[in-house]
Amino acid sequence: DILIRLIVINVAIFLLFAVVSVIATLFKLGNMDVLTNYVGVPSDVSLLIKRPWTLFTYMFFHDLGDIFHILFNMLFLYWFGQIFLSYFNSKNLGSLYILGGLAGAVLYIIMFNTIPYYIDMEHFPMIGASASVTAIIFAASFYNPNQRINLLLLGSVKIVYVALFIFVIDFIALKSNTNP
């Protein structure tokens, strides 16, 4: 089904990217940042016009230096994707993944070109499935906000509180001066 396909695609690209990075490092073939520049969505609109494919490719690539990024993205995608699929079909999930990713890219570009904190900051291309996964989390959570899930150490919690917690954490991370 589409949920497993999305996870397999993300993990396969991550592993391929990791293997190529190791080979490039061992044989001194160059830095993998060059590849990130061609698959990550840039915040510079003039560069985006030259690389429109990045609006789609960025949501399938993850930072090799942050294994937890892909790990938690794929875990959340699986858990909330299962919940989403209990209400909707695979086609809806695939569409939401892509539309959530596109919305994340647009918000990223708008933020880095309008918010004073980001305007003077060095602009990194954005990679990762976080926007797509967050769209699925929010869709599942707000479609049935009273649904309960069991969390380790916390017990039964309404799913909407999990989504709101994730939103707050992501909002707090906006102040981060590392690659978003």
Side-chain angles (χ1 to χ4, degrees), residues 10 13 21 23 25 27-28 30 43-44 56 68-69 78 82 84 86 88 95 108-109 125 131 164 175 178:
N10 274 279
I13 289 173
S21 177
I23 291 170
T25 300
F27 293 96
K28 297 184 179 183
S43 56
D44 181 355
F56 296 96
F68 291 109
H69 185 207
Y78 180 76
Q82 290 288 345
F84 183 90
S86 69
F88 303 101
S95 298
Y108 173 74
I109 294 164
L164 292 173
K175 188 174 177 280
T178 60

Side-chain angles (χ1 to χ4, degrees), residues 81-98:
Q82 290 288 345
I83 295 168
F84 183 90
L85 287 173
S86 69
Y87 302 117
F88 303 101
N89 62 36
S90 291
K91 184 177 178 182
N92 296 134
L93 181 72
S95 298
L96 183 59
Y97 184 92
I98 298 297

Side-chain angles (χ1 to χ4, degrees), residues 54-65:
T54 61
L55 289 169
F56 296 96
T57 56
Y58 93 92
M59 62 184 93
F60 296 100
F61 281 81
H62 288 79
D63 183 6
L64 296 178

